[in-house]
Amino acid sequence: MQRLRIASLLLASSLVLRAQDSAPVTDAVELSPVTVYSPDVANQDPVASYATPITALRFEPLVDVQARGFAEGQSDISIRGGTFENTGFSIGALPIYDPQTGHYFGELPVAPAMLSAPSINTGADNSINGWNATAGSVAYGWSRIRDTGFVSAAGGSDNLLRTEAYAGYTSDKKLAGRVLAADASVAYSESNGSRDFGDHELTRYNARIQLADDVSQTDLFAGYQDKFIGWRELYAGPFNSRETDDLQTTLIALNHRITYGADGDYFQAGAYYRRNDDEYQFNRAAPNANFIHQTDVTGGGFEGRASITEATAIRYRAGIVADKIDSTALFVAPTRGRYDDRTQGYAGAFADHTISLDADRSLVLTGGANYDASNRSGSAVSPVAEIALLQDKGALKRLYVSYAEATQLPTYTALNSNSAAGFFRGNRNLGRSESKNFELGADTAVSAWTFKTAVFFRKDENLVDWTFNPLVPGAARIAAQGDVDTLGFESVARRSFEHVDLVFGYSWLHKNEDYLAPGTDSFYAFNFPEHRVTAAIVARLGAGFEARMDNEFRVQESNALRRRNDEVVLSSLGLYYSVPRVKGLTLSAQVDNLWNTYFEEVPLVPGPRREFSLGARYAW
């Protein structure tokens, strides 16, 4: 059956390519006018809930979304085989994170309509643009507000109901020569879940005010999300526990960006406050107050690029992030952590120097370093260096080699959990993690196809992982620290035809470690696909119909904690119909987990069953 599913996907792709072989082409992938949150995936809306910033990453070739129940409910975001805490997030000039646990790094209570498509930073780009992330980072920008909007509603399997509304408004009058605009969004979702005790109820409210002109944009944002999710063995398995997580996340952010000239020079600065209230229950039938947490984070920073000469430019950044936690489980005690608040600072400077080789070729030399410091640990200097060959003619557009370092401090769940008892055993002595990334990559264009390819070797030192030995009486997840070597290859291919858009991705990973004792397995650092293939297909069928399909085939690294299925095909299919007599009205039918495959994206966490929805969206 597995081979039949793979063969059917390959056959569908080959038929699409053959049918479109003589059709006009364009240079870039452009999906339909339906709201697009990412050009790398086909289905822009999920089935199980309303769209969140995580939705655009579900089938992203460079990102592995490891969901519990459904991606928008709770997800760990992994890049290049890193753990859920090795990935950073930012919006505008600001890195945004949760100090309690990396499980909540992606809890961004922002409507995707207010954001740009995500940019995935790895290697040198991650070291220059990311923060507190050793494997990779996801960067969003604030979108320009327009006089547009939509309302949508859908229902489906397991008593699913989801609704969302978004509206943007721009004023005819200008303030200090800049356009005043505002947008707002509200979204709601509920379902019984595809498995028993897998129910959820999510609500999100957003509002934003914007001042903008041709070269600058200032955004003031406020967002709130209330999220209740239930799932068996959500975090603490393998005890067949009926767990729940109840989150309320508030984000207030201010960001200003101004662009100088046509050379890419800019300055961007901002500040934010994020609060996350979390109540976790191991057994919903017997709730208690053992796992109640509140985290507060305040951050501010700036970044930019400035041309010094015609051939030389400087990139720079600096910021400060202060956090604190109030928790019934994560506090200071002899068998727990040493502190419950922390301030971190960062700064970086990087020079780009361009050497012209001839009329069509140039060499760009990049060098610099980041400085990271904290009042709770020592500081670190992380160098970055890259040499890139750029070409205007020929198939090869860019060839580069780079070396980059990055550092990260552990979160409070790892630091302050009781080291002697409980489901999650912490280690108050965990230190700073560091990564060293060596990389060779190329961007090419052949016959209207574009390719981005990279080979990398990452050396993680003192990486924090969670381990488990099921043979030990009273076994628990234990925070451990060790060294991991990762060798990887990744490639993304794109092409747009007249009626079809294609995005294919492939990645291969291999790892070694020095910290797992016999009989002990890793929940996160060794929860990765050895081989992963993604395929996003958008077909404009005519007469107002459009089909969108996302696919993922993965051969998972063997892990004794996973109960079955190391090889899996996961597919999401959507059929959309633009009603010709009602401009802006689109009807949809969607299916997630099309093949109804059981797969534990996180070991010991049951995967969801097939889900479907029928919906309508009216846009103006």
Side-chain angles (χ1 to χ4, degrees), residues 513-567:
E513 51 76 27
D514 70 352
Y515 63 96
L516 293 177
T520 300
D521 269 283
S522 157
F523 270 103
Y524 302 110
F526 280 79
N527 178 39
F528 68 91
E530 183 180 4
H531 301 277
R532 180 174 182 253
V533 179
T534 61
I537 305 170
V538 178
R540 291 172 286 279
L541 306 176
F545 285 95
E546 181 176 272
R548 296 170 174 246
M549 191 175 189
D550 288 297
N551 305 279
E552 177 185 53
F553 168 62
R554 58 197 298 149
V555 179
Q556 200 76 10
E557 174 75 3
S558 179
N559 190 314
L561 300 177
R562 179 170 285 100
R563 284 171 283 210
R564 65 178 190 264
N565 289 352
D566 286 338
E567 296 185 12

Side-chain angles (χ1 to χ4, degrees), residues 147-171:
D147 289 306
T148 186
F150 66 84
V151 292
S152 67
S157 54
D158 310 307
N159 291 325
L160 167 70
L161 171 65
R162 74 169 191 260
T163 60
E164 185 176 4
Y166 168 83
Y169 168 78
T170 60
S171 173

Side-chain angles (χ1 to χ4, degrees), residues 246-306:
D246 195 357
L247 305 173
Q248 294 81 42
T249 308
T250 301
L251 176 65
I252 300 172
L254 174 66
N255 195 83
H256 173 72
R257 182 185 178 99
I258 183 168
T259 302
Y260 302 99
D263 297 326
D265 290 355
Y266 75 97
F267 175 79
Q268 185 171 219
Y272 79 94
Y273 167 76
R274 180 185 183 272
R275 175 172 176 170
N276 195 61
D277 292 291
D278 160 44
E279 181 177 350
Y280 162 73
Q281 296 293 345
F282 173 75
N283 182 0
R284 66 191 302 166
N288 57 60
N290 290 341
F291 300 99
I292 299 176
H293 322 280
Q294 175 187 310
T295 57
D296 295 272
V297 180
T298 304
F302 63 87
E303 63 179 31
R305 180 185 188 274

Side-chain angles (χ1 to χ4, degrees), residues 127-428:
S127 296
I128 292 173
N129 300 296
W131 174 77
N132 205 48
T134 53
S137 54
V138 182
Y140 300 90
W142 292 107
S143 65
R144 184 65 64 96
I145 297 175
R146 298 179 297 144
D147 289 306
T148 186
F150 66 84
V151 292
S152 67
S157 54
D158 310 307
N159 291 325
L160 167 70
L161 171 65
R162 74 169 191 260
T163 60
E164 185 176 4
Y166 168 83
Y169 168 78
T170 60
S171 173
D172 293 334
K173 298 182 179 180
K174 293 187 176 182
L175 182 63
R178 306 171 75 198
V179 175
L180 176 64
D183 58 358
S185 175
V186 60
Y188 176 81
S189 171
E190 65 176 33
S191 169
N192 292 338
S194 64
R195 295 192 178 276
D196 293 342
F197 304 102
D199 51 322
H200 80 260
E201 184 174 4
L202 279 60
T203 307
R204 182 182 65 210
Y205 303 98
N206 289 167
R208 180 173 57 142
I209 299 173
Q210 183 180 92
L211 278 173
D213 57 24
D214 292 339
V215 297
S216 67
Q217 179 177 312
T218 304
D219 295 273
L220 177 60
F221 168 85
Y224 173 81
Q225 182 166 266
D226 190 348
K227 175 187 292 187
F228 172 87
I229 54 175
W231 201 255
R232 285 187 183 271
E233 301 175 305
L234 181 65
Y235 295 110
F239 307 109
N240 197 30
S241 48
R242 296 176 294 175
E243 303 173 38
T244 65
D245 205 358
D246 195 357
L247 305 173
Q248 294 81 42
T249 308
T250 301
L251 176 65
I252 300 172
L254 174 66
N255 195 83
H256 173 72
R257 182 185 178 99
I258 183 168
T259 302
Y260 302 99
D263 297 326
D265 290 355
Y266 75 97
F267 175 79
Q268 185 171 219
Y272 79 94
Y273 167 76
R274 180 185 183 272
R275 175 172 176 170
N276 195 61
D277 292 291
D278 160 44
E279 181 177 350
Y280 162 73
Q281 296 293 345
F282 173 75
N283 182 0
R284 66 191 302 166
N288 57 60
N290 290 341
F291 300 99
I292 299 176
H293 322 280
Q294 175 187 310
T295 57
D296 295 272
V297 180
T298 304
F302 63 87
E303 63 179 31
R305 180 185 188 274
S307 295
I308 305 302
T309 67
E310 186 176 346
T312 304
I314 299 295
R315 285 182 279 176
Y316 55 88
R317 57 193 294 227
I320 190 167
V321 179
D323 66 54
K324 65 177 181 178
I325 186 169
D326 184 10
S327 170
T328 59
L330 308 175
F331 49 83
V332 177
T335 61
R336 301 177 185 267
R338 294 178 286 109
Y339 53 87
D340 54 16
D341 63 75
R342 174 174 54 192
T343 300
Q344 300 182 66
Y346 63 92
F350 317 92
D352 299 317
H353 181 68
T354 302
I355 301 173
S356 179
L357 302 179
D358 54 43
D360 302 311
R361 297 187 307 158
S362 59
L363 201 63
V364 180
L365 309 178
T366 299
N370 282 306
Y371 174 75
D372 293 286
S374 168
N375 65 332
R376 301 299 188 182
S377 64
S379 60
V381 176
S382 305
V384 179
E386 181 179 271
I387 302 175
L389 173 67
L390 307 183
Q391 292 190 159
D392 294 330
K393 295 182 179 180
L396 179 64
K397 301 302 180 184
R398 181 173 182 256
L399 177 68
Y400 69 91
V401 59
S402 68
Y403 172 77
E405 296 184 8
T407 74
Q408 181 178 40
L409 291 179
T411 57
Y412 289 119
T413 297
L415 289 168
N416 290 15
S417 291
N418 192 338
S419 61
F423 299 119
F424 315 100
R425 309 278 177 91
N427 183 345
R428 67 202 306 244

